[in-house]
Amino acid sequence: MNTTAELVLHDYWRSSACYRVRIALNLKGLEYQIRPVHLINNGGEQHSAEHHALNPQESVPVLMVGRRTVRQSMAIIEYLEESHPKPQLLPPGLRERAHVRSLAQLIACDVHPLNNLRVMQYLENELGVAAPARETWMRHWMALGLRAFEEILAADDARGVFCHGDTPGLADACLIPQVYNAQRFNLDLTPYPNIRAINERCLALPAFDAARPEKQPGASA
């Protein structure tokens, strides 16, 4: 394990943003503690005064690095990449790094926000959208994003056994949690053979396996 200042991840077991950070921490071989923040219990622990002081967005993940606070999953992962550069989550070439970031952001910026818990809660509580319609909404946006991701993978000569080359990295860390969400809401993954193959290979690795939602503190609570 790499030595570092104490790392504490404020985490919800089912959050895909937290999931991608756990994968990155594990790929880096970093020791960290998890402080569960349950997004549903007691009206959502992210809305507590204590968590609001930590993150005014009232969201997770939040990574404490000693006394320093790092917010937003992609910023946290980039921080880890810069502070602990080995093993790399981004390839060395400038164009290649941009390509991997574009794949990661396709998930983190375009797909994930539209199936986020707070969006679903707003559709339910403020707009009165029933559960079947909310799930149709989620599957629609997930399918659009994964279709594009699949097409990009299929056309990429640099695709290896993972999203880019033969070493898992940033794009894989973002993709696998979204596949988990897709499976959770019964999206048919048959049209995405490259995504399915990469998901299977990643989950066979200890870093990804240990980050699975069902293996986290508070899972199923």
Side-chain angles (χ1 to χ4, degrees), residues 75-142:
I76 291 170
I77 295 173
E78 291 274 3
Y79 170 84
L80 295 173
E81 180 74 348
E82 293 175 1
S83 60
H84 298 85
K86 300 293 182 180
Q88 292 180 312
L89 301 181
L90 288 164
L94 185 62
R95 292 182 180 177
E96 291 77 9
R97 291 166 79 89
H99 172 68
V100 169
R101 284 190 173 103
S102 74
L103 286 173
Q105 291 178 23
L106 189 160
I107 299 295
C109 299
D110 291 343
V111 180
H112 165 243
L114 292 171
N115 56 86
N116 188 277
L117 174 63
R118 63 182 179 177
V119 172
M120 295 303 103
Q121 289 177 331
Y122 185 84
L123 290 175
E124 177 184 9
N125 299 329
E126 302 298 326
L127 301 183
V129 179
R134 296 197 306 272
E135 293 184 8
T136 297
W137 157 285
M138 283 190 282
R139 285 191 292 269
H140 169 77
W141 294 112
M142 285 191 281

Side-chain angles (χ1 to χ4, degrees), residues 1 3 67 73 77 82 97 100 103 106 128 155 160 163 167-168 172-173 188 190 197 204 209:
M1 289 286 188
T3 58
R67 296 182 179 180
S73 64
I77 295 173
E82 293 175 1
R97 291 166 79 89
V100 169
L103 286 173
L106 189 160
C163 288
T167 303
D172 307 279
D188 180 13
T190 304
D209 182 63

Side-chain angles (χ1 to χ4, degrees), residues 27-190:
L27 286 171
K28 293 288 186 183
L30 296 169
E31 294 182 351
Y32 60 100
Q33 299 179 29
I34 285 181
R35 297 271 176 85
V37 179
H38 204 291
L39 301 189
I40 298 175
N41 284 356
N42 303 314
E45 294 173 357
Q46 71 275 24
H47 303 308
S48 69
E50 179 183 6
H51 191 77
H52 181 93
L54 192 66
N55 183 8
Q57 267 195 292
E58 298 184 356
S59 63
V60 289
V62 175
L63 183 69
M64 299 300 298
V65 185
R67 296 182 179 180
R68 296 181 180 273
T69 305
V70 188
R71 305 175 185 90
Q72 288 289 340
S73 64
M74 299 303 284
I76 291 170
I77 295 173
E78 291 274 3
Y79 170 84
L80 295 173
E81 180 74 348
E82 293 175 1
S83 60
H84 298 85
K86 300 293 182 180
Q88 292 180 312
L89 301 181
L90 288 164
L94 185 62
R95 292 182 180 177
E96 291 77 9
R97 291 166 79 89
H99 172 68
V100 169
R101 284 190 173 103
S102 74
L103 286 173
Q105 291 178 23
L106 189 160
I107 299 295
C109 299
D110 291 343
V111 180
H112 165 243
L114 292 171
N115 56 86
N116 188 277
L117 174 63
R118 63 182 179 177
V119 172
M120 295 303 103
Q121 289 177 331
Y122 185 84
L123 290 175
E124 177 184 9
N125 299 329
E126 302 298 326
L127 301 183
V129 179
R134 296 197 306 272
E135 293 184 8
T136 297
W137 157 285
M138 283 190 282
R139 285 191 292 269
H140 169 77
W141 294 112
M142 285 191 281
L144 282 183
L146 292 179
R147 184 185 312 154
F149 202 105
E150 178 73 20
E151 289 183 17
I152 294 169
L153 289 177
D156 183 13
D157 292 338
R159 189 192 79 247
V161 297
F162 298 104
C163 288
H164 186 82
D166 295 329
T167 303
L170 176 64
D172 307 279
C174 290
L175 174 64
I176 273 50
Q178 189 57 60
V179 174
Y180 169 85
N181 279 352
Q183 292 171 327
R184 179 185 170 201
F185 290 101
N186 301 311
L187 177 68
D188 180 13
L189 296 177
T190 304

